[in-house]
Every structure is written in C-alpha cells, then in structure tokens.
Amino acid sequence: MHHNGTQNNDDCKPLGSLTIPHLKDGVLVHVPALHEGWVQTRCYLFYTPPPQQESDGSFLLGAKENWLDTMEFFCQDLEWLLHLEHYRFWSQIVFDQAAMDMVLSFLQDSYPFYMISEFPCDEEMWKMYQNIHRLIFLIINRLATHTESKTDYMTPKLLGELIYNNYIFTIPVLIDLCLIYGQENRQQLMKIINTVFEVQPQYQCDLAKSIGYFTQALLGVGMRLDVPLQSAAEVPTRLKSTKNRLTVETLTDLINHVLDSAISISSLLDIYPPACAAFHQQLFELRIVSFYENTIPELYHKLEVLVNRDTTQELYKKLKTKLEMTRVELLKAFRDMLSSSINDMLVKKDNLSPAEVKAIVDDYVSVLSDCLGDKRFVRDYHKKYPLDQDLDMLAQLCPEMDKLKSDYLLEAALACFDTPPIRKKSERERAAIRPVSPPSQEPEEEAKATKQKVSGVRLDSLITQVKDILPHLGDGFVERCLQYYDYVSDAVVNGVLEGQLPPELQVLDYTLPRIPPEDDGTNEGHGLSLEQEEDDELDKIDYTKSHRGKRKGPYRDLRQMMKDKSHREEFRDLYARLGVVESVDDVYDDEYDDTYDHLDVSVEDEGDLERRPFVVPRVLRQKDDSESSDEEAEVEEDDVDESGPPRDQFVPNPEEIRARAEQRRLARTSHKPKSRDVIGQPKGHGQEKQVTINRSNKTAHKSTRGNHNRRVGAQRKRQQGMVA
C-alpha cells in the first residue's frame, strides 16, 4: 500500500488512534497509522566488523575497499529509516523484523569503549565507523521517544507495549548500549534507559531474571579453571564437564569474557542506578567477592604459566591489563550495589523512621562482615574505598549504629594487610615533615624543596600499594610515577588505568626494575635508614666461616670427647715455665717404688729452700711410738725388713689396684645375663619365678614408653564391664 497523499493530523491524535486517508482502487479509505500496509519492501545490509591489518599495517587486497563500500550502503539504509515519517517509521520497525535486525547487528559486532583501541589504524575506516555510530544512536533515541512533536507522538503505554512485545529493547540490548555509548553519551543514554523502564515495568522482572545469567557466567569461568565452588548445585549441568586442557587461545577468550561481564555489570549499574537494588536484593555482592577472591588469582596464575614467555610478551601485557581492568570494575560494581540502599536512604531520609534507617545501616554492615574472610578482596576494596570513611558517615547518619560492630569491622579490614596501612597525613603533619626552605629561594627551588624524595620503608610501602592493584608494573617504573605524582599512590593507579600518564612516563618501560641509589656520602650526619643499617650489618658477616647443612664434629660421642686429652699439650709449656711441672718428658712410671715417698728422704739440691722437718701426723702414730724418742724411731726404721710391707703404708700399690679391678671385671662378665623373659611356658604348665617378676616389672614401668595409657584404658574397660 502506498500513500499518495499527505498525513493529516489536525486533531493531534496519538499514533494508536490516528488513521491515514489514502486511495485504494479509486476509493478513499482511512487506514490506521500503525499498520503493516505502510511497510516498504527493502533489502537491507548488515554491519560487519572491519578487516584486521597485517603485521606491516596493510590490508588484504580489496578488503578495505569492500568494507567501505558495504558500510556506505549500510549507512544509506540507516539514513532512509531515520528519515521516515513517524507513523511509517514505527510501522517499518514493528512489522519489518529485518529493519530492527539491521540496527541490532551494529550493537552486537561493534567495539565497546574498552576495546576501541583495537580498531584498525585507518582514517577512512574510522570516519565511516563514527558515522555509523552516530546514526545508530539517533535511531535508538527515536525508538525510546514517545513524543516527537505535537502531531507525531504516542502514549507512554503504547510505547511500552511496542518495545516490549516486539523485542525492540531487551536487557542484553540495554547492556550493549551501555558498553558502546556509556562513555561518550552518558547523560542521553541514562535518559533513554530510564524511559524504557518507566514506560514498561515488566523490564524490572526481566532485569531480576538476568542476574542469574551473570551468576552463571562467573561460575562458569571458575568451573573452567577448576576453582572449587561453594555449592555444585549453583552451576548449570552444561558447565560441569570442563576438564579440557587450557590453551592460550582459551585463556584469552576467558579473560575477554570476564572483562566483558565485569564491565557490563558495572556500566549498567552506572547508567541505571535503580538496577543496584535488584542486584543487592539477590546478594550478588557476595558472588563478586567469591569470584574476586578465588577465580581472579587463578587467572593470574594461568596467565603466568601459559603466556608469560619471550615470544608472547605483547599478549601477556595486554591480557594482564585486562585483568586489572576487571578487578577495578568488579570493585566498582560491588561499591554501587552495596551503597544503593545508603543512597536511597539519603534521598528519603526525612520520610524514614529511625528504625528503618538503622535497618538499612545494619544491612550495610552485615554484607561487609560476610566479606571479611576474603582478605584479597577486603584489602583491595579498602584501598579504593576506605571503610573508615564509610563507617564515619554511617555513624553520623545513624547514631544508634552498633559501635562495637563497626570497630570490629574496621580492625578486621586492617588485619587483612600484611603491614599496617599508611594513614594519609593531614596538611599539618605533612608540613611538619616537609623541610623548610630558606626565604631567599626562588619559587622553582621552593617547589622542588616541597617534593622531597621518600625513601626506605615508606617508599617500599607506596610501591607495594601500587603493585597490589597493578602487579605487572616494575618497581622502578612505579617509583618514577610516584616521584611525578608527589608520592600519592592513588594518583599513580588512576593515571595508569585511565591512560593519562605524562609523556615522560609513557616512554618508559612499564617493567622497569628498581635500581637502589649508590651511597655518595650525602647521608653523612643524617643517620642511616633501616635498610642501610641492615646492609652494613650483613656486610660485616664473614661468610667464609658459614656452614651449610648439618655440621659433623671431631668426636663421635661424649665418651670419645672425654678421652681426648690433647688439650694438655697446649698448656704443658706454660706449666713448665711456671714450675708447675718439672719437664715435658716427665712421664708417670708404674714401676716407680713410692713406698718411702711419705718420708723426707729427698736430696736437697743446691739453692733449695730450708724445709720444715717432717712430722708424722698424730692420727697415724702408734701408741708405742707416740712416747718414744726420735732415736728409737730411727733404730726401728733400720731394723725393718725390706721384704715385708711397710709399717705405716696407707697408699696402695697401683699394680695391686689394677689386679683387683681385673678380677672384679672377670667376675661380672662370667655371670649369666639376667633373663627378661615375659612369655614363659604355655598356660597351665606353670611359670618360673623370674618370668612372673619380669611380667610385674613390665606392667609397672609401662608408662615410661609410648602408648603408656593402655593400662589405664584397660582398667577403665574392666570397671565398665566391657572386658570379662
């Protein structure tokens, strides 16, 4: 049906009740404005991604020209659709499915904002892409508009029915719009999506159902990496058979899928904040925490194992950057979901009772408390969104908040750090540690003086803070960035992630290692840092005397060490000089006769001092000798028979001592060893006395060895009647 007249809507009727007059077989009839008769048959072209460049930057022969020609016809179809009259436009969209498929083809195959850098470097192709990008957004904007003018409009209810029943807008389409237009056309896109949800409330139900698909996407990645899950019932059956070997291509697809899912959730929550309540109602925050804590580290591990090689360094850096973007987007999504109830409370604070405010605050604290076991996530979240600031704000909004619980929450968050987090200093504290410049300094010198170099433990801590978020960066590169940003770690992270580093930092190698500065003597008089003192102490250690492993001593056991008398030789010369020993060759002789050594019969040498006369002790004297004179004693000594034993001998002969000791030893070894038999004869044949004694001794001394509680256990069993 072709209209050969003009639209006449002087009564300003909406599209649903408007009729258009036209001639049919010479008869003027009125046809509804929204009718399939107004559809024009047309062969559409669909959007296709641009061809990729070769390694030298060129394209395959004819690929670029073919794509430009095809997209030129595609743009003509878009412009034709866009310039249709209001009733013809909606009739074409509603009754011609191919027209809507043409529009959706661009949303499905275009570049999201985080991958736009991968578009081929060609000016003609980029201009064509930008033109298509603009035309599609104009068509989307027209599809979400129920009033174009006073004569071209429809009721919001009719718009909601058209876009919902004909699948013009779906939750996946809205997410694609967020990924493609969320950065450049944020405000207008927010208006479009808000209109869609307002004119059709059923989209809220579809949004709640779509959360389950996001959950399956995250759990599916974990199953692909064999990450243990909390419940196997949470994973669809089609995702459970994932034992295939992981390759570089598969890992690349997984990382791209994870990044796309994270940015899709984050962008939807950013463009349409009411969606946060739906995610929060299903506790999707805990899904994010579990994925962040378990799956993300496994992706890093697989990336290091499979891709971190000399031949794939470019791919390694690209994938690692995508993982870091994923972490940032997941933290942002968690933040939006968690704070949605707090934001609503701030808007409706005057209409809420204190009990309702306290319930919202308690819910906020409860979700954070459930995350305390996931230390990686809590550490990163606290760095990006400090918990102490949130808790202080909540304490001001709700004075009835449990102070003990909030303090515990903050302490548990700080405990997730290996080292205590560095608190941001106030201006007064920074001024206290900042060296004061002389008044005569120039402004440039004064600015340089305020930027003092941070070193030692403080610098290491700042580098660690940056590398916790961006672990692929080298320590040296991070240090240079910290110097540029006045040692503010958050500024460095934002500059790297947003690609806003200054030119002097962009030319550096991102994996630049850190080279410690050499000591040029400038630290003299200022003391040494902790690292320098430790290095000095280590330098003093003589590593040549160190021993690795178990050292073997010169002695096999204590007995061998006690028998070693070599130390005597070390002091023999000293004792000889002091007169303690007579000579080095003085060796004890067992054949020496010391019978009369107790008498003073030594020959006085020349120069000997006068000795005291020898006197026999009173105890050793005999009664007959005690009253005799010295002369009688001398006579008796002369009459003594040398063959017999001396009369006053009290020192035994060493030969006799050794002989008696040998006899005792032979007597001991000749005895039969003591029997320790506890088995004895079979039962009923009687037992020897020694066997009975051995059994008693074994039972009495059983506690001195392992398993000594068997006797106690046996007694307990007997008391309870368990053993007959």
Side-chain angles (χ1 to χ4, degrees):
M1 180 188 301
H2 298 282
H3 174 52
N4 47 14
T6 58
Q7 178 183 354
N8 186 8
N9 190 15
D10 297 335
D11 297 335
C12 298
K13 293 182 179 180
L15 182 65
S17 57
L18 178 64
T19 59
I20 306 297
H22 78 97
L23 290 175
K24 182 179 181 182
D25 299 332
V27 179
L28 184 64
V29 296
H30 293 273
V31 180
L34 191 62
H35 192 270
E36 61 182 351
W38 307 117
V39 176
Q40 297 184 22
T41 304
R42 189 181 181 93
C43 183
Y44 302 100
L45 291 178
F46 295 92
Y47 175 82
T48 57
Q52 296 298 320
Q53 293 174 302
E54 300 294 333
S55 58
D56 57 353
S58 62
F59 297 93
L60 291 177
L61 183 63
K64 172 184 173 181
E65 291 76 10
N66 180 51
W67 186 83
L68 290 175
D69 293 340
T70 304
M71 291 302 102
E72 182 65 29
F73 288 110
F74 181 71
C75 290
Q76 293 178 6
D77 291 338
L78 294 178
E79 291 177 352
W80 169 82
L81 182 63
L82 190 61
H83 288 87
L84 288 176
E85 296 179 80
H86 185 257
Y87 73 97
R88 287 182 176 274
F89 172 81
W90 279 103
S91 297
Q92 197 78 27
I93 290 293
V94 172
F95 299 106
D96 186 9
Q97 183 62 37
M100 195 62 204
D101 292 341
M102 175 186 63
V103 176
L104 296 180
S105 65
F106 177 78
L107 300 181
Q108 295 172 356
D109 294 330
S110 61
Y111 288 84
F113 70 90
Y114 59 89
M115 294 182 63
I116 200 66
S117 59
E118 299 182 5
F119 192 87
C121 298
D122 186 86
E123 186 175 356
E124 294 183 38
M125 299 175 66
W126 176 247
K127 288 182 179 180
M128 180 64 70
Y129 179 83
Q130 289 290 84
N131 188 32
I132 298 174
H133 187 274
R134 179 184 60 86
L135 293 174
I136 292 292
F137 188 73
L138 291 176
I139 294 176
I140 294 296
N141 187 43
R142 191 175 186 183
L143 290 172
T145 303
H146 54 79
T147 302
E148 295 184 6
S149 64
K150 293 182 179 181
T151 57
D152 298 332
Y153 72 98
M154 69 178 73
T155 61
K157 181 179 179 181
L158 178 60
L159 177 62
E161 293 176 354
L162 291 178
I163 63 177
Y164 189 80
N165 296 334
N166 296 281
Y167 301 97
I168 296 175
F169 287 108
T170 60
I171 298 300
V173 169
L174 297 178
I175 294 176
D176 289 338
L177 291 175
C178 293
L179 294 178
I180 299 173
Y181 298 100
Q183 293 291 320
E184 299 178 356
N185 307 91
R186 184 174 183 274
Q187 296 299 326
Q188 186 63 25
L189 184 60
M190 291 180 66
K191 182 179 178 181
I192 292 174
I193 296 181
N194 284 325
T195 301
V196 170
F197 279 94
E198 287 176 1
V199 299
Q200 184 52 264
Q202 294 188 18
Y203 281 112
Q204 294 288 351
C205 300
D206 293 348
L207 177 62
K209 294 178 182 178
S210 66
I211 298 176
Y213 292 98
F214 284 115
T215 301
Q216 293 180 9
L218 298 182
L219 293 178
V221 175
M223 288 294 295
R224 190 65 182 85
L225 298 172
D226 297 334
V227 175
L229 302 173
Q230 298 177 354
S231 175
E234 299 175 349
V235 186
T237 306
R238 59 186 175 85
L239 295 177
K240 292 183 179 180
S241 58
T242 57
K243 295 296 182 181
N244 297 330
R245 185 170 177 266
L246 201 64
T247 61
V248 176
E249 293 76 12
T250 306
L251 180 63
T252 302
D253 294 339
L254 284 178
I255 293 178
N256 290 331
H257 175 63
V258 167
L259 176 61
D260 186 75
S261 300
I263 296 184
S264 297
I265 298 172
S266 176
S267 299
L268 179 62
L269 299 181
D270 180 59
I271 300 299
Y272 184 63
C276 299
F279 281 87
H280 177 68
Q281 187 176 3
Q282 298 189 25
L283 294 179
F284 194 81
E285 305 100 316
L286 301 182
R287 303 286 186 190
I288 291 178
V289 173
S290 177
F291 183 83
Y292 193 101
E293 185 73 14
N294 301 314
T295 307
I296 293 296
E298 187 65 21
L299 285 173
Y300 273 106
H301 173 69
K302 297 295 184 183
L303 184 64
E304 293 291 336
V305 173
L306 296 177
V307 192
N308 190 9
R309 300 173 181 175
D310 295 338
T311 57
T312 56
Q313 277 301 308
E314 291 297 330
L315 179 62
Y316 172 76
K317 294 178 181 178
K318 183 184 299 183
L319 294 180
K320 201 162 191 179
T321 303
K322 290 184 177 181
L323 278 180
E324 291 158 5
M325 293 176 61
T326 301
R327 293 170 59 191
V328 174
E329 295 297 331
L330 289 176
L331 292 175
K332 183 178 180 297
F334 179 89
R335 172 73 172 183
D336 293 338
M337 296 177 195
L338 186 62
S339 59
S340 62
S341 57
I342 301 298
N343 296 334
D344 293 341
M345 181 187 67
L346 294 176
V347 175
K348 306 175 183 178
K349 182 179 179 182
D350 297 336
N351 299 327
L352 296 177
S353 62
E356 293 175 339
V357 173
K358 188 175 185 302
I360 295 175
V361 173
D362 290 342
D363 177 66
Y364 181 92
V365 176
S366 176
V367 174
L368 286 178
S369 301
D370 293 339
C371 305
L372 292 179
D374 303 299
K375 297 185 180 299
R376 291 189 185 93
F377 176 83
V378 174
R379 183 172 60 247
D380 293 347
Y381 181 79
H382 179 66
K383 289 179 180 179
K384 190 169 182 61
Y385 307 102
L387 290 176
D388 51 351
Q389 298 179 7
D390 292 348
L391 295 176
D392 291 343
M393 179 192 67
L394 294 179
Q396 297 176 7
L397 295 175
C398 181
E400 296 82 8
M401 185 180 67
D402 191 350
K403 180 66 175 175
L404 182 61
K405 183 181 292 186
S406 63
D407 292 343
Y408 168 76
L409 180 63
L410 183 58
E411 291 297 331
L414 296 179
C416 296
F417 292 83
D418 296 334
T419 56
I422 300 176
R423 181 177 58 88
K424 293 184 178 180
K425 295 181 173 60
S426 62
E427 289 296 333
R428 180 177 300 177
E429 293 174 339
R430 286 197 292 266
I433 64 174
R434 189 178 298 153
V436 180
S437 303
S440 59
Q441 281 187 330
E442 297 295 331
E444 295 181 358
E445 297 177 356
E446 184 176 358
K448 292 180 180 179
T450 57
K451 285 190 176 183
Q452 290 296 319
K453 289 186 177 181
V454 178
S455 61
V457 179
R458 168 71 172 171
L459 179 58
D460 293 341
S461 178
L462 292 175
I463 294 176
T464 303
Q465 290 182 18
V466 176
K467 295 196 66 176
D468 285 342
I469 303 296
L470 306 171
H472 73 288
L473 299 180
D475 291 353
F477 179 77
V478 175
E479 183 179 5
R480 296 288 295 274
C481 293
L482 288 172
Q483 293 175 1
Y484 180 83
Y485 287 102
D486 199 11
Y487 297 96
V488 179
S489 58
D490 293 342
V492 175
V493 174
N494 293 334
V496 174
L497 293 180
E498 297 177 3
Q500 298 179 354
L501 293 177
E504 57 267 26
L505 294 179
Q506 292 181 359
V507 298
L508 297 178
D509 184 9
Y510 279 31
T511 61
L512 183 68
R514 181 186 178 193
I515 302 176
E518 298 181 359
D519 186 9
D520 55 357
T522 56
N523 293 331
E524 184 179 359
H526 298 279
L528 298 176
S529 64
L530 180 60
E531 292 84 353
Q532 292 172 336
E533 293 178 358
E534 293 177 352
D535 294 342
D536 293 342
E537 293 297 330
L538 292 176
D539 293 338
K540 297 178 182 179
I541 299 176
D542 186 5
Y543 291 98
T544 59
K545 298 181 180 180
S546 62
H547 180 80
R548 178 176 295 180
K550 184 177 180 181
R551 184 188 296 275
K552 294 183 179 180
Y555 307 108
R556 183 174 63 255
D557 50 19
L558 180 62
R559 184 183 300 276
Q560 184 181 5
M561 183 182 68
M562 296 299 295
K563 289 182 178 181
D564 185 11
K565 305 299 182 182
S566 59
H567 61 281
R568 292 182 177 180
E569 299 297 333
E570 300 177 5
F571 300 99
R572 185 175 297 276
D573 295 338
L574 177 63
Y575 292 158
R577 290 195 301 271
L578 297 176
V580 180
V581 294
E582 294 181 358
S583 65
V584 178
D585 298 332
D586 185 11
V587 182
Y588 177 75
D589 186 7
D590 287 343
E591 301 300 330
Y592 173 72
D593 188 2
D594 54 359
T595 303
Y596 299 100
D597 282 352
H598 67 285
L599 301 178
D600 189 10
V601 294
S602 60
V603 181
E604 294 183 359
D605 297 334
E606 183 179 358
D608 284 348
L609 298 177
E610 182 180 356
R611 296 192 177 188
R612 178 183 176 184
F614 177 78
V615 179
V616 178
R618 186 180 299 274
V619 178
L620 300 178
R621 293 179 184 179
Q622 298 181 0
K623 292 183 179 181
D624 297 338
D625 297 339
S626 60
E627 297 178 357
S628 62
S629 60
D630 297 338
E631 295 179 358
E632 293 176 353
E634 293 176 1
V635 173
E636 290 177 357
E637 289 179 1
D638 296 337
D639 297 337
V640 173
D641 186 6
E642 294 181 359
S643 62
R647 181 179 55 188
D648 294 332
Q649 179 183 4
F650 62 91
V651 178
N653 190 349
E655 293 182 355
E656 296 178 0
I657 294 176
R658 287 194 295 271
R660 289 194 296 268
E662 183 66 19
Q663 292 177 1
R664 289 194 300 271
R665 186 183 65 79
L666 293 176
R668 286 197 305 269
T669 56
S670 63
H671 291 171
K672 183 178 180 180
K674 187 176 181 180
S675 175
R676 298 184 182 275
D677 182 23
V678 295
I679 299 177
Q681 300 296 329
K683 188 175 182 179
H685 292 74
Q687 301 294 341
E688 296 181 0
K689 181 179 179 180
Q690 187 62 35
V691 173
T692 305
I693 294 174
N694 292 342
R695 289 177 178 178
S696 301
N697 291 337
K698 179 180 179 181
T699 303
H701 297 86
K702 188 181 298 183
S703 61
T704 61
R705 294 176 176 86
N707 296 329
H708 54 269
N709 58 348
R710 291 179 296 178
R711 179 168 57 85
V712 179
Q715 291 178 357
R716 186 182 299 108
K717 290 182 179 180
R718 293 191 189 96
Q719 294 174 358
Q720 296 177 358
M722 299 175 64
V723 180

